[in-house]
Amino acid sequence: MAFGAMRSSADRKPQMTSNSSPTFSTLGRSPSIRPPAYTTDDLLAAKYQNFSRWVHLMRVAIAAITFIDSVAIVACVGASLRAYSDSRLEPEWILPLWPLNVDLRPSHAILGCGIAVAVLSLAYLAVAFSPLRQRLHNANIVSTVLSILCLCTALFTVIFASVITNNLAYNTYSGTLSSWTCRWHGFDNVAPSNFTKICDDGMAALNLVIVLVLIEVLALGATAWGWWVEMRVKKGCVDGTKSEVELV
């Protein structure tokens, strides 16, 4: 009985399970192989990752332009202050080139603005290229803070320098570097030779600060775009309806 039982069990044909062979159609067609499934979350993540890359590039470009603009501001104001220091005579001289009370506050304000904005721009570039976790979120925070600081600094400098320069524009006993030197415009045969350069440097520095204001407004727009991308990414991760989309 035992031998017969063993023989009967050996004569049995092995049965293939559903996991041991691919599934064939009943009409003899090739095996049905399904393409890999992608979810809408995967597609949205790839889309907003591309947006995040563009935000990063735009911010880096704006920071680089801001740094170049601020360095140019420092160069212009520094040249005018140096020329004033070299041509300034003591009060005991009979024919001084400058009035007794030259208001240097606008020049110092523009110089401080250029230095501050240059340092802040370098700080953002350092953060942008540092290997931090959650780079988009950290970059959004840093960009927001630095853009607001740069914009407020540039706006204050433009208003402060313009108000003081305009108030002293027609004062015969005092003036700023720009107001005093630009007053001699057109009298090249009488005015000192470096007055035209000091006037041009001062006006160029103030105009560059105005350009800086426009650049920082653009930087705030890029920052708002970065926050929008981050919110969309977080919303996609939370909502995530996992609906499958097959890419054939």
Side-chain angles (χ1 to χ4, degrees):
M1 289 295 293
F3 179 78
M6 292 177 61
R7 183 177 180 181
S8 62
S9 61
D11 292 340
R12 293 177 184 173
K13 294 183 179 180
Q15 297 180 355
M16 297 179 64
T17 62
S18 59
N19 296 329
S20 61
S21 64
T23 304
F24 290 86
S25 62
T26 57
L27 298 178
R29 291 178 298 180
S30 60
S32 59
I33 302 176
R34 302 182 62 190
Y38 295 87
T39 63
T40 53
D41 291 341
D42 296 332
L43 299 178
L44 288 175
K47 176 182 178 180
Y48 290 119
Q49 184 179 5
N50 189 28
F51 283 169
S52 175
R53 188 179 300 110
W54 280 107
V55 170
H56 172 72
L57 293 177
M58 179 180 290
R59 285 172 173 172
V60 170
I62 292 175
I65 295 173
T66 302
F67 177 75
I68 295 173
D69 188 282
S70 58
V71 170
I73 292 171
V74 173
C76 292
V77 179
S80 62
L81 288 173
R82 184 184 181 94
Y84 166 73
S85 178
D86 293 340
S87 60
R88 179 175 176 270
L89 299 176
E90 298 298 329
E92 58 267 16
W93 289 86
I94 299 176
L95 294 175
L97 298 177
W98 300 91
L100 295 179
N101 300 317
V102 178
D103 197 340
L104 298 178
R105 290 179 298 170
S107 299
H108 291 163
I110 295 175
L111 180 63
C113 173
I115 295 174
V117 173
V119 172
L120 293 176
S121 301
L122 287 178
Y124 178 77
L125 291 175
V127 173
F129 289 104
S130 60
L132 298 176
R133 298 183 61 185
Q134 297 181 349
R135 175 180 293 182
L136 178 60
H137 180 71
N138 293 328
N140 284 336
I141 295 177
V142 175
S143 178
T144 302
V145 174
L146 296 185
S147 298
I148 293 176
L149 288 177
C150 291
L151 180 60
C152 292
T153 303
L155 276 176
F156 171 79
T157 302
V158 170
I159 296 173
F160 180 77
S162 299
V163 168
I164 293 181
T165 301
N166 292 332
N167 289 338
L168 298 177
Y170 301 102
N171 194 325
T172 58
Y173 299 100
S174 181
T176 63
L177 289 182
S178 297
S179 66
W180 182 258
T181 55
C182 294
R183 188 180 304 174
W184 295 90
H185 183 72
F187 301 94
D188 297 337
N189 55 343
V190 179
S193 59
N194 62 344
F195 270 28
T196 301
K197 185 178 184 304
I198 295 175
C199 175
D200 294 339
D201 289 341
M203 295 304 296
L206 185 59
N207 291 333
L208 287 173
V209 177
I210 296 174
V211 172
L212 190 61
V213 173
L214 301 178
I215 294 174
E216 293 307 319
V217 171
L218 182 61
L220 285 177
T223 301
W225 188 20
W227 284 113
W228 178 80
V229 171
E230 182 180 352
M231 287 190 298
R232 297 297 297 179
V233 170
K234 289 182 178 180
K235 183 178 180 181
C237 293
V238 172
D239 294 344
T241 58
K242 304 293 182 181
S243 60
E244 293 187 353
V245 178
E246 294 183 357
L247 300 181
V248 181

